[in-house]
Amino acid sequence: FAANTPQDFAAAARVAEPMCDAIDLNLGCPQRTAYLGHFGSYLLDDKDRDLVCSIVRAGAEAVNIPIFCKIRLLDKIQDTIRLCQGLRDAGASLIAVHARYRASWERKGPGARDGPALMDQIAEIKQAVPDITIIANGNTITFQDVEENLKLTKADGLMSAEGILDNPALFLPHLKGQHQHIVDDTKAEALGPADREDIEMKAQKLRKKLRKISKIEKKITSNGKDSLSDEDRRRLEKKIDLQQSLSRIEASRSSTHQQNVDSFETLCMRAENKLGLAEEYLDLAEKHPVKIRSVIFHTRRILKSMLEKYQFMEDCLASNSIDEIRSIVTKMKHYKENPEAFVFDKDKAAKEKEALERKRREEGKRKAYEARMMRKAKREGKKDLSHYLHIGAEVPTKETIEKLKLQPRQEALEVWKRHHSQHCLAFHLESEGCKRGRTCAFLHVDVVGNNHAF
């Protein structure tokens, strides 16, 4: 979740708890919506340290599942280490470290939003904070990168963002030699929803108790048995009983599933076929519906080279349904199997090139606006160069949008100019939304109170 108050984070965590295994607080988002909304990596300043720790603490106290945090590097390695120690003490069970510096309006160059991630700093963090799970993030495009980064950082695990978007099977080689057969995602469950929820809640409570015991054992390693309180000793005595109870619950839960299994070799063959991966993704998107823009985004990432080769990129971006995307995938499969059937369309290529150039120009308008506002603040001697970027940046609420839709157009426009002038009016008030999409110079941020993500 992206949250900036303890109350909101705890409330959201309680809602999500029955449906997930952990709750993650995003302290790494560098986007301008995070800056304007004061969340993500913009909560990592010293002045917000107590707030961040109180958010984590509230979440840890509210639910029986682990609380995770994802962060970026601070300017000095010792500051990042102190941040991790604070998150650990507040109740975080895992910290994922994106090994690039926090984004800001001024910072540029390698280590910020461009260039290689600074994985050596994760190694220092893990060495300095060994008693919490550290996940490395950055510089991971191939499985060889996975192996090399884990070796370099000594981290407990690794996550990928960009790499796994292009290749959803990125981590598959990790399973080689571990299992002769791999369980497929498709399961037929015999228990009803209420029964499954009750079993999962019991398992979560047992895991939380075992995590506390694990911390006590680490305390013994660091400070000896004499450092234990009477309560610590009573908890240690219950470890075996708790483990056995958890094993029984997990065994009973797994017996209710009818599982489909594939051999490792079969999965590897499927992973080498990008079109097959895309079809598998589309199957999952139909089973677990999401917005069509998300489906387009992921399909485009998986099949980028083929969409460009067979001149279907614009068709994919303009799709309105999964069926339309499937049709494109089917056509590309046909061209791949029958190369002579594809004829390169020069006119279409020229139009797509012109559209791409126009899109880049439009996308540059927002950056140019931000740069102008910062120069204006600098000329006027303002300490906060982002001063003008806050004016009109207030995110409209769902209630505000509903009221504005009922008002005459001119009155609605006046209200918008006073409070939300940096946001796209069409995106919120027009029935068809903003036709410019990503190329719009105004902000496209979902309303406060809406259940959709930014």
Side-chain angles (χ1 to χ4, degrees), residues 310-344:
Y310 295 121
Q311 297 182 284
F312 281 120
M313 180 62 78
E314 292 303 316
D315 301 78
C316 179
L317 295 176
S319 296
N320 294 308
S321 68
I322 290 179
D323 286 340
E324 288 183 22
I325 299 174
R326 279 194 189 278
S327 174
I328 293 170
V329 173
T330 300
K331 290 174 184 176
M332 291 195 295
K333 285 177 68 176
H334 173 69
Y335 289 146
K336 185 179 180 181
E337 295 168 0
N338 305 276
E340 70 284 353
F342 174 69
V343 178
F344 187 80

PDB file of all heavy atoms in Angstrom, residues 310-344:
ATOM      1  N   TYR A 310       5.992  -7.280 -36.333  1.00  0.00           N
ATOM      2  CA  TYR A 310       4.813  -7.547 -37.167  1.00  0.00           C
ATOM      3  C   TYR A 310       3.853  -6.358 -37.222  1.00  0.00           C
ATOM      4  O   TYR A 310       2.718  -6.505 -37.679  1.00  0.00           O
ATOM      5  CB  TYR A 310       4.088  -8.796 -36.652  1.00  0.00           C
ATOM      6  CG  TYR A 310       4.911 -10.053 -36.780  1.00  0.00           C
ATOM      7  CD1 TYR A 310       5.228 -10.817 -35.655  1.00  0.00           C
ATOM      8  CD2 TYR A 310       5.388 -10.474 -38.017  1.00  0.00           C
ATOM      9  CE1 TYR A 310       5.991 -11.971 -35.768  1.00  0.00           C
ATOM     10  CE2 TYR A 310       6.149 -11.624 -38.137  1.00  0.00           C
ATOM     11  CZ  TYR A 310       6.456 -12.373 -37.002  1.00  0.00           C
ATOM     12  OH  TYR A 310       7.216 -13.513 -37.120  1.00  0.00           O
ATOM     13  N   GLN A 311       4.289  -5.202 -36.743  1.00  0.00           N
ATOM     14  CA  GLN A 311       3.543  -3.939 -36.853  1.00  0.00           C
ATOM     15  C   GLN A 311       2.167  -3.986 -36.181  1.00  0.00           C
ATOM     16  O   GLN A 311       1.169  -3.505 -36.720  1.00  0.00           O
ATOM     17  CB  GLN A 311       3.385  -3.551 -38.332  1.00  0.00           C
ATOM     18  CG  GLN A 311       4.713  -3.292 -39.043  1.00  0.00           C
ATOM     19  CD  GLN A 311       4.528  -2.861 -40.482  1.00  0.00           C
ATOM     20  OE1 GLN A 311       4.234  -3.686 -41.339  1.00  0.00           O
ATOM     21  NE2 GLN A 311       4.683  -1.567 -40.744  1.00  0.00           N
ATOM     22  N   PHE A 312       2.136  -4.570 -34.981  1.00  0.00           N
ATOM     23  CA  PHE A 312       0.888  -4.651 -34.236  1.00  0.00           C
ATOM     24  C   PHE A 312       0.918  -3.820 -32.951  1.00  0.00           C
ATOM     25  O   PHE A 312      -0.024  -3.902 -32.150  1.00  0.00           O
ATOM     26  CB  PHE A 312       0.567  -6.106 -33.868  1.00  0.00           C
ATOM     27  CG  PHE A 312      -0.021  -6.916 -34.998  1.00  0.00           C
ATOM     28  CD1 PHE A 312       0.622  -8.045 -35.450  1.00  0.00           C
ATOM     29  CD2 PHE A 312      -1.221  -6.535 -35.580  1.00  0.00           C
ATOM     30  CE1 PHE A 312       0.082  -8.795 -36.491  1.00  0.00           C
ATOM     31  CE2 PHE A 312      -1.771  -7.284 -36.613  1.00  0.00           C
ATOM     32  CZ  PHE A 312      -1.118  -8.412 -37.073  1.00  0.00           C
ATOM     33  N   MET A 313       1.975  -3.043 -32.723  1.00  0.00           N
ATOM     34  CA  MET A 313       2.084  -2.310 -31.461  1.00  0.00           C
ATOM     35  C   MET A 313       0.911  -1.350 -31.267  1.00  0.00           C
ATOM     36  O   MET A 313       0.266  -1.340 -30.204  1.00  0.00           O
ATOM     37  CB  MET A 313       3.407  -1.540 -31.411  1.00  0.00           C
ATOM     38  CG  MET A 313       3.595  -0.755 -30.108  1.00  0.00           C
ATOM     39  SD  MET A 313       3.657  -1.817 -28.638  1.00  0.00           S
ATOM     40  CE  MET A 313       5.342  -2.439 -28.762  1.00  0.00           C
ATOM     41  N   GLU A 314       0.611  -0.535 -32.280  1.00  0.00           N
ATOM     42  CA  GLU A 314      -0.485   0.430 -32.146  1.00  0.00           C
ATOM     43  C   GLU A 314      -1.833  -0.272 -31.995  1.00  0.00           C
ATOM     44  O   GLU A 314      -2.710   0.190 -31.266  1.00  0.00           O
ATOM     45  CB  GLU A 314      -0.511   1.378 -33.354  1.00  0.00           C
ATOM     46  CG  GLU A 314       0.680   2.323 -33.424  1.00  0.00           C
ATOM     47  CD  GLU A 314       0.834   3.169 -32.176  1.00  0.00           C
ATOM     48  OE1 GLU A 314      -0.188   3.689 -31.676  1.00  0.00           O
ATOM     49  OE2 GLU A 314       1.968   3.291 -31.667  1.00  0.00           O
ATOM     50  N   ASP A 315      -1.993  -1.403 -32.688  1.00  0.00           N
ATOM     51  CA  ASP A 315      -3.233  -2.171 -32.559  1.00  0.00           C
ATOM     52  C   ASP A 315      -3.396  -2.684 -31.132  1.00  0.00           C
ATOM     53  O   ASP A 315      -4.500  -2.679 -30.585  1.00  0.00           O
ATOM     54  CB  ASP A 315      -3.233  -3.352 -33.533  1.00  0.00           C
ATOM     55  CG  ASP A 315      -3.088  -2.907 -34.978  1.00  0.00           C
ATOM     56  OD1 ASP A 315      -1.951  -2.580 -35.378  1.00  0.00           O
ATOM     57  OD2 ASP A 315      -4.097  -2.855 -35.682  1.00  0.00           O
ATOM     58  N   CYS A 316      -2.284  -3.132 -30.543  1.00  0.00           N
ATOM     59  CA  CYS A 316      -2.325  -3.636 -29.169  1.00  0.00           C
ATOM     60  C   CYS A 316      -2.694  -2.511 -28.202  1.00  0.00           C
ATOM     61  O   CYS A 316      -3.559  -2.682 -27.339  1.00  0.00           O
ATOM     62  CB  CYS A 316      -0.969  -4.233 -28.788  1.00  0.00           C
ATOM     63  SG  CYS A 316      -0.883  -4.854 -27.095  1.00  0.00           S
ATOM     64  N   LEU A 317      -2.063  -1.341 -28.374  1.00  0.00           N
ATOM     65  CA  LEU A 317      -2.319  -0.204 -27.478  1.00  0.00           C
ATOM     66  C   LEU A 317      -3.756   0.299 -27.591  1.00  0.00           C
ATOM     67  O   LEU A 317      -4.296   0.858 -26.636  1.00  0.00           O
ATOM     68  CB  LEU A 317      -1.347   0.932 -27.788  1.00  0.00           C
ATOM     69  CG  LEU A 317       0.141   0.639 -27.516  1.00  0.00           C
ATOM     70  CD1 LEU A 317       1.001   1.808 -27.951  1.00  0.00           C
ATOM     71  CD2 LEU A 317       0.366   0.328 -26.039  1.00  0.00           C
ATOM     72  N   ALA A 318      -4.366   0.087 -28.753  1.00  0.00           N
ATOM     73  CA  ALA A 318      -5.739   0.566 -28.982  1.00  0.00           C
ATOM     74  C   ALA A 318      -6.792  -0.479 -28.630  1.00  0.00           C
ATOM     75  O   ALA A 318      -7.996  -0.227 -28.780  1.00  0.00           O
ATOM     76  CB  ALA A 318      -5.898   0.986 -30.441  1.00  0.00           C
ATOM     77  N   SER A 319      -6.379  -1.652 -28.163  1.00  0.00           N
ATOM     78  CA  SER A 319      -7.329  -2.730 -27.868  1.00  0.00           C
ATOM     79  C   SER A 319      -8.283  -2.342 -26.744  1.00  0.00           C
ATOM     80  O   SER A 319      -7.898  -1.666 -25.784  1.00  0.00           O
ATOM     81  CB  SER A 319      -6.575  -4.009 -27.480  1.00  0.00           C
ATOM     82  OG  SER A 319      -5.810  -4.491 -28.559  1.00  0.00           O
ATOM     83  N   ASN A 320      -9.518  -2.826 -26.855  1.00  0.00           N
ATOM     84  CA  ASN A 320     -10.538  -2.539 -25.842  1.00  0.00           C
ATOM     85  C   ASN A 320     -10.957  -3.779 -25.055  1.00  0.00           C
ATOM     86  O   ASN A 320     -11.783  -3.683 -24.144  1.00  0.00           O
ATOM     87  CB  ASN A 320     -11.778  -1.928 -26.506  1.00  0.00           C
ATOM     88  CG  ASN A 320     -11.500  -0.568 -27.092  1.00  0.00           C
ATOM     89  OD1 ASN A 320     -10.984   0.316 -26.405  1.00  0.00           O
ATOM     90  ND2 ASN A 320     -11.805  -0.385 -28.367  1.00  0.00           N
ATOM     91  N   SER A 321     -10.410  -4.934 -25.417  1.00  0.00           N
ATOM     92  CA  SER A 321     -10.792  -6.164 -24.713  1.00  0.00           C
ATOM     93  C   SER A 321      -9.677  -7.201 -24.839  1.00  0.00           C
ATOM     94  O   SER A 321      -8.795  -7.095 -25.696  1.00  0.00           O
ATOM     95  CB  SER A 321     -12.079  -6.740 -25.309  1.00  0.00           C
ATOM     96  OG  SER A 321     -11.836  -7.206 -26.637  1.00  0.00           O
ATOM     97  N   ILE A 322      -9.746  -8.214 -23.983  1.00  0.00           N
ATOM     98  CA  ILE A 322      -8.772  -9.308 -24.042  1.00  0.00           C
ATOM     99  C   ILE A 322      -8.929 -10.083 -25.347  1.00  0.00           C
ATOM    100  O   ILE A 322      -7.941 -10.540 -25.922  1.00  0.00           O
ATOM    101  CB  ILE A 322      -8.944 -10.238 -22.821  1.00  0.00           C
ATOM    102  CG1 ILE A 322      -8.487  -9.514 -21.546  1.00  0.00           C
ATOM    103  CG2 ILE A 322      -8.144 -11.536 -23.003  1.00  0.00           C
ATOM    104  CD1 ILE A 322      -8.631 -10.326 -20.276  1.00  0.00           C
ATOM    105  N   ASP A 323     -10.162 -10.195 -25.842  1.00  0.00           N
ATOM    106  CA  ASP A 323     -10.386 -10.895 -27.103  1.00  0.00           C
ATOM    107  C   ASP A 323      -9.642 -10.219 -28.252  1.00  0.00           C
ATOM    108  O   ASP A 323      -9.074 -10.893 -29.133  1.00  0.00           O
ATOM    109  CB  ASP A 323     -11.885 -10.963 -27.422  1.00  0.00           C
ATOM    110  CG  ASP A 323     -12.618 -11.965 -26.553  1.00  0.00           C
ATOM    111  OD1 ASP A 323     -11.941 -12.849 -25.991  1.00  0.00           O
ATOM    112  OD2 ASP A 323     -13.856 -11.859 -26.436  1.00  0.00           O
ATOM    113  N   GLU A 324      -9.620  -8.882 -28.257  1.00  0.00           N
ATOM    114  CA  GLU A 324      -8.895  -8.160 -29.309  1.00  0.00           C
ATOM    115  C   GLU A 324      -7.393  -8.425 -29.207  1.00  0.00           C
ATOM    116  O   GLU A 324      -6.713  -8.602 -30.220  1.00  0.00           O
ATOM    117  CB  GLU A 324      -9.173  -6.658 -29.198  1.00  0.00           C
ATOM    118  CG  GLU A 324     -10.588  -6.271 -29.617  1.00  0.00           C
ATOM    119  CD  GLU A 324     -10.810  -4.770 -29.558  1.00  0.00           C
ATOM    120  OE1 GLU A 324      -9.815  -4.013 -29.615  1.00  0.00           O
ATOM    121  OE2 GLU A 324     -11.974  -4.337 -29.455  1.00  0.00           O
ATOM    122  N   ILE A 325      -6.890  -8.481 -27.996  1.00  0.00           N
ATOM    123  CA  ILE A 325      -5.462  -8.765 -27.809  1.00  0.00           C
ATOM    124  C   ILE A 325      -5.152 -10.199 -28.232  1.00  0.00           C
ATOM    125  O   ILE A 325      -4.143 -10.466 -28.882  1.00  0.00           O
ATOM    126  CB  ILE A 325      -5.046  -8.534 -26.345  1.00  0.00           C
ATOM    127  CG1 ILE A 325      -5.298  -7.077 -25.955  1.00  0.00           C
ATOM    128  CG2 ILE A 325      -3.572  -8.888 -26.142  1.00  0.00           C
ATOM    129  CD1 ILE A 325      -5.053  -6.775 -24.494  1.00  0.00           C
ATOM    130  N   ARG A 326      -6.041 -11.122 -27.899  1.00  0.00           N
ATOM    131  CA  ARG A 326      -5.849 -12.527 -28.311  1.00  0.00           C
ATOM    132  C   ARG A 326      -5.796 -12.641 -29.832  1.00  0.00           C
ATOM    133  O   ARG A 326      -5.010 -13.425 -30.371  1.00  0.00           O
ATOM    134  CB  ARG A 326      -6.991 -13.392 -27.781  1.00  0.00           C
ATOM    135  CG  ARG A 326      -6.859 -13.825 -26.350  1.00  0.00           C
ATOM    136  CD  ARG A 326      -7.849 -14.929 -26.050  1.00  0.00           C
ATOM    137  NE  ARG A 326      -7.900 -15.223 -24.645  1.00  0.00           N
ATOM    138  CZ  ARG A 326      -7.035 -16.007 -24.009  1.00  0.00           C
ATOM    139  NH1 ARG A 326      -6.034 -16.544 -24.684  1.00  0.00           N
ATOM    140  NH2 ARG A 326      -7.174 -16.238 -22.726  1.00  0.00           N
ATOM    141  N   SER A 327      -6.632 -11.880 -30.501  1.00  0.00           N
ATOM    142  CA  SER A 327      -6.650 -11.919 -31.954  1.00  0.00           C
ATOM    143  C   SER A 327      -5.293 -11.503 -32.523  1.00  0.00           C
ATOM    144  O   SER A 327      -4.795 -12.106 -33.481  1.00  0.00           O
ATOM    145  CB  SER A 327      -7.754 -10.997 -32.476  1.00  0.00           C
ATOM    146  OG  SER A 327      -7.717 -10.914 -33.884  1.00  0.00           O
ATOM    147  N   ILE A 328      -4.681 -10.490 -31.908  1.00  0.00           N
ATOM    148  CA  ILE A 328      -3.355 -10.033 -32.343  1.00  0.00           C
ATOM    149  C   ILE A 328      -2.316 -11.120 -32.110  1.00  0.00           C
ATOM    150  O   ILE A 328      -1.472 -11.401 -32.972  1.00  0.00           O
ATOM    151  CB  ILE A 328      -2.972  -8.743 -31.600  1.00  0.00           C
ATOM    152  CG1 ILE A 328      -3.890  -7.598 -32.026  1.00  0.00           C
ATOM    153  CG2 ILE A 328      -1.507  -8.378 -31.842  1.00  0.00           C
ATOM    154  CD1 ILE A 328      -3.750  -6.342 -31.184  1.00  0.00           C
ATOM    155  N   VAL A 329      -2.379 -11.757 -30.940  1.00  0.00           N
ATOM    156  CA  VAL A 329      -1.436 -12.837 -30.631  1.00  0.00           C
ATOM    157  C   VAL A 329      -1.590 -13.983 -31.625  1.00  0.00           C
ATOM    158  O   VAL A 329      -0.596 -14.558 -32.102  1.00  0.00           O
ATOM    159  CB  VAL A 329      -1.648 -13.335 -29.183  1.00  0.00           C
ATOM    160  CG1 VAL A 329      -0.775 -14.572 -28.909  1.00  0.00           C
ATOM    161  CG2 VAL A 329      -1.324 -12.229 -28.182  1.00  0.00           C
ATOM    162  N   THR A 330      -2.818 -14.318 -31.957  1.00  0.00           N
ATOM    163  CA  THR A 330      -3.076 -15.401 -32.925  1.00  0.00           C
ATOM    164  C   THR A 330      -2.481 -15.070 -34.290  1.00  0.00           C
ATOM    165  O   THR A 330      -1.871 -15.933 -34.951  1.00  0.00           O
ATOM    166  CB  THR A 330      -4.595 -15.631 -33.061  1.00  0.00           C
ATOM    167  OG1 THR A 330      -5.137 -15.993 -31.790  1.00  0.00           O
ATOM    168  CG2 THR A 330      -4.878 -16.742 -34.069  1.00  0.00           C
ATOM    169  N   LYS A 331      -2.636 -13.816 -34.728  1.00  0.00           N
ATOM    170  CA  LYS A 331      -2.078 -13.408 -36.015  1.00  0.00           C
ATOM    171  C   LYS A 331      -0.554 -13.495 -36.006  1.00  0.00           C
ATOM    172  O   LYS A 331       0.066 -13.928 -36.988  1.00  0.00           O
ATOM    173  CB  LYS A 331      -2.521 -11.986 -36.352  1.00  0.00           C
ATOM    174  CG  LYS A 331      -4.001 -11.862 -36.683  1.00  0.00           C
ATOM    175  CD  LYS A 331      -4.402 -10.404 -36.867  1.00  0.00           C
ATOM    176  CE  LYS A 331      -5.898 -10.266 -37.106  1.00  0.00           C
ATOM    177  NZ  LYS A 331      -6.317  -8.840 -37.198  1.00  0.00           N
ATOM    178  N   MET A 332       0.059 -13.096 -34.894  1.00  0.00           N
ATOM    179  CA  MET A 332       1.522 -13.160 -34.806  1.00  0.00           C
ATOM    180  C   MET A 332       2.013 -14.607 -34.797  1.00  0.00           C
ATOM    181  O   MET A 332       3.072 -14.913 -35.358  1.00  0.00           O
ATOM    182  CB  MET A 332       2.016 -12.399 -33.572  1.00  0.00           C
ATOM    183  CG  MET A 332       1.830 -10.887 -33.691  1.00  0.00           C
ATOM    184  SD  MET A 332       2.776  -9.933 -32.477  1.00  0.00           S
ATOM    185  CE  MET A 332       1.991 -10.456 -30.952  1.00  0.00           C
ATOM    186  N   LYS A 333       1.257 -15.488 -34.157  1.00  0.00           N
ATOM    187  CA  LYS A 333       1.611 -16.914 -34.193  1.00  0.00           C
ATOM    188  C   LYS A 333       1.590 -17.424 -35.634  1.00  0.00           C
ATOM    189  O   LYS A 333       2.481 -18.175 -36.061  1.00  0.00           O
ATOM    190  CB  LYS A 333       0.628 -17.723 -33.334  1.00  0.00           C
ATOM    191  CG  LYS A 333       0.842 -17.585 -31.842  1.00  0.00           C
ATOM    192  CD  LYS A 333      -0.209 -18.351 -31.048  1.00  0.00           C
ATOM    193  CE  LYS A 333      -0.064 -19.835 -31.213  1.00  0.00           C
ATOM    194  NZ  LYS A 333      -1.025 -20.575 -30.350  1.00  0.00           N
ATOM    195  N   HIS A 334       0.593 -16.986 -36.379  1.00  0.00           N
ATOM    196  CA  HIS A 334       0.485 -17.397 -37.782  1.00  0.00           C
ATOM    197  C   HIS A 334       1.687 -16.891 -38.582  1.00  0.00           C
ATOM    198  O   HIS A 334       2.271 -17.640 -39.384  1.00  0.00           O
ATOM    199  CB  HIS A 334      -0.818 -16.864 -38.380  1.00  0.00           C
ATOM    200  CG  HIS A 334      -0.940 -17.090 -39.859  1.00  0.00           C
ATOM    201  ND1 HIS A 334      -1.109 -18.361 -40.411  1.00  0.00           N
ATOM    202  CD2 HIS A 334      -0.895 -16.217 -40.910  1.00  0.00           C
ATOM    203  CE1 HIS A 334      -1.168 -18.254 -41.727  1.00  0.00           C
ATOM    204  NE2 HIS A 334      -1.042 -16.971 -42.058  1.00  0.00           N
ATOM    205  N   TYR A 335       2.068 -15.624 -38.377  1.00  0.00           N
ATOM    206  CA  TYR A 335       3.209 -15.068 -39.103  1.00  0.00           C
ATOM    207  C   TYR A 335       4.521 -15.745 -38.706  1.00  0.00           C
ATOM    208  O   TYR A 335       5.412 -15.944 -39.539  1.00  0.00           O
ATOM    209  CB  TYR A 335       3.315 -13.563 -38.845  1.00  0.00           C
ATOM    210  CG  TYR A 335       2.226 -12.751 -39.504  1.00  0.00           C
ATOM    211  CD1 TYR A 335       1.722 -11.600 -38.893  1.00  0.00           C
ATOM    212  CD2 TYR A 335       1.696 -13.126 -40.737  1.00  0.00           C
ATOM    213  CE1 TYR A 335       0.722 -10.849 -39.497  1.00  0.00           C
ATOM    214  CE2 TYR A 335       0.695 -12.382 -41.349  1.00  0.00           C
ATOM    215  CZ  TYR A 335       0.209 -11.244 -40.724  1.00  0.00           C
ATOM    216  OH  TYR A 335      -0.774 -10.509 -41.335  1.00  0.00           O
ATOM    217  N   LYS A 336       4.632 -16.113 -37.443  1.00  0.00           N
ATOM    218  CA  LYS A 336       5.857 -16.780 -36.994  1.00  0.00           C
ATOM    219  C   LYS A 336       5.984 -18.157 -37.631  1.00  0.00           C
ATOM    220  O   LYS A 336       7.085 -18.582 -38.017  1.00  0.00           O
ATOM    221  CB  LYS A 336       5.856 -16.897 -35.464  1.00  0.00           C
ATOM    222  CG  LYS A 336       7.161 -17.465 -34.903  1.00  0.00           C
ATOM    223  CD  LYS A 336       7.127 -17.529 -33.391  1.00  0.00           C
ATOM    224  CE  LYS A 336       8.441 -18.108 -32.858  1.00  0.00           C
ATOM    225  NZ  LYS A 336       8.429 -18.217 -31.379  1.00  0.00           N
ATOM    226  N   GLU A 337       4.864 -18.852 -37.733  1.00  0.00           N
ATOM    227  CA  GLU A 337       4.866 -20.194 -38.328  1.00  0.00           C
ATOM    228  C   GLU A 337       4.920 -20.146 -39.853  1.00  0.00           C
ATOM    229  O   GLU A 337       5.384 -21.090 -40.496  1.00  0.00           O
ATOM    230  CB  GLU A 337       3.616 -20.955 -37.869  1.00  0.00           C
ATOM    231  CG  GLU A 337       3.597 -21.237 -36.370  1.00  0.00           C
ATOM    232  CD  GLU A 337       2.238 -21.717 -35.884  1.00  0.00           C
ATOM    233  OE1 GLU A 337       1.315 -21.825 -36.740  1.00  0.00           O
ATOM    234  OE2 GLU A 337       2.083 -21.966 -34.675  1.00  0.00           O
ATOM    235  N   ASN A 338       4.443 -19.029 -40.416  1.00  0.00           N
ATOM    236  CA  ASN A 338       4.427 -18.877 -41.883  1.00  0.00           C
ATOM    237  C   ASN A 338       5.028 -17.514 -42.255  1.00  0.00           C
ATOM    238  O   ASN A 338       4.284 -16.565 -42.578  1.00  0.00           O
ATOM    239  CB  ASN A 338       2.994 -18.985 -42.417  1.00  0.00           C
ATOM    240  CG  ASN A 338       2.303 -20.265 -41.984  1.00  0.00           C
ATOM    241  OD1 ASN A 338       2.464 -21.304 -42.602  1.00  0.00           O
ATOM    242  ND2 ASN A 338       1.522 -20.173 -40.914  1.00  0.00           N
ATOM    243  N   PRO A 339       6.353 -17.373 -42.185  1.00  0.00           N
ATOM    244  CA  PRO A 339       7.017 -16.082 -42.422  1.00  0.00           C
ATOM    245  C   PRO A 339       6.642 -15.431 -43.752  1.00  0.00           C
ATOM    246  O   PRO A 339       6.571 -14.194 -43.845  1.00  0.00           O
ATOM    247  CB  PRO A 339       8.506 -16.442 -42.392  1.00  0.00           C
ATOM    248  CG  PRO A 339       8.570 -17.697 -41.602  1.00  0.00           C
ATOM    249  CD  PRO A 339       7.323 -18.443 -41.898  1.00  0.00           C
ATOM    250  N   GLU A 340       6.391 -16.245 -44.762  1.00  0.00           N
ATOM    251  CA  GLU A 340       6.077 -15.690 -46.082  1.00  0.00           C
ATOM    252  C   GLU A 340       4.721 -14.976 -46.104  1.00  0.00           C
ATOM    253  O   GLU A 340       4.437 -14.176 -47.019  1.00  0.00           O
ATOM    254  CB  GLU A 340       6.079 -16.800 -47.138  1.00  0.00           C
ATOM    255  CG  GLU A 340       4.930 -17.803 -47.062  1.00  0.00           C
ATOM    256  CD  GLU A 340       5.058 -18.823 -45.943  1.00  0.00           C
ATOM    257  OE1 GLU A 340       6.131 -18.842 -45.292  1.00  0.00           O
ATOM    258  OE2 GLU A 340       4.117 -19.596 -45.747  1.00  0.00           O
ATOM    259  N   ALA A 341       3.891 -15.216 -45.080  1.00  0.00           N
ATOM    260  CA  ALA A 341       2.562 -14.605 -45.053  1.00  0.00           C
ATOM    261  C   ALA A 341       2.604 -13.143 -44.606  1.00  0.00           C
ATOM    262  O   ALA A 341       1.668 -12.380 -44.863  1.00  0.00           O
ATOM    263  CB  ALA A 341       1.636 -15.395 -44.118  1.00  0.00           C
ATOM    264  N   PHE A 342       3.688 -12.745 -43.949  1.00  0.00           N
ATOM    265  CA  PHE A 342       3.774 -11.367 -43.454  1.00  0.00           C
ATOM    266  C   PHE A 342       4.385 -10.456 -44.515  1.00  0.00           C
ATOM    267  O   PHE A 342       5.435 -10.751 -45.085  1.00  0.00           O
ATOM    268  CB  PHE A 342       4.616 -11.290 -42.183  1.00  0.00           C
ATOM    269  CG  PHE A 342       4.855  -9.886 -41.704  1.00  0.00           C
ATOM    270  CD1 PHE A 342       3.819  -9.132 -41.185  1.00  0.00           C
ATOM    271  CD2 PHE A 342       6.118  -9.308 -41.812  1.00  0.00           C
ATOM    272  CE1 PHE A 342       4.028  -7.830 -40.752  1.00  0.00           C
ATOM    273  CE2 PHE A 342       6.332  -7.999 -41.382  1.00  0.00           C
ATOM    274  CZ  PHE A 342       5.291  -7.264 -40.856  1.00  0.00           C
ATOM    275  N   VAL A 343       3.714  -9.326 -44.762  1.00  0.00           N
ATOM    276  CA  VAL A 343       4.209  -8.322 -45.708  1.00  0.00           C
ATOM    277  C   VAL A 343       4.355  -6.997 -44.956  1.00  0.00           C
ATOM    278  O   VAL A 343       3.380  -6.478 -44.399  1.00  0.00           O
ATOM    279  CB  VAL A 343       3.252  -8.142 -46.900  1.00  0.00           C
ATOM    280  CG1 VAL A 343       3.784  -7.053 -47.829  1.00  0.00           C
ATOM    281  CG2 VAL A 343       3.079  -9.458 -47.644  1.00  0.00           C
ATOM    282  N   PHE A 344       5.564  -6.457 -44.923  1.00  0.00           N
ATOM    283  CA  PHE A 344       5.827  -5.214 -44.204  1.00  0.00           C
ATOM    284  C   PHE A 344       5.096  -4.056 -44.876  1.00  0.00           C
ATOM    285  O   PHE A 344       5.202  -3.849 -46.087  1.00  0.00           O
ATOM    286  CB  PHE A 344       7.333  -4.939 -44.179  1.00  0.00           C
ATOM    287  CG  PHE A 344       7.720  -3.760 -43.322  1.00  0.00           C
ATOM    288  CD1 PHE A 344       7.809  -3.894 -41.946  1.00  0.00           C
ATOM    289  CD2 PHE A 344       7.980  -2.522 -43.897  1.00  0.00           C
ATOM    290  CE1 PHE A 344       8.167  -2.817 -41.145  1.00  0.00           C
ATOM    291  CE2 PHE A 344       8.331  -1.438 -43.105  1.00  0.00           C
ATOM    292  CZ  PHE A 344       8.420  -1.584 -41.729  1.00  0.00           C
TER     293      PHE A 344
END
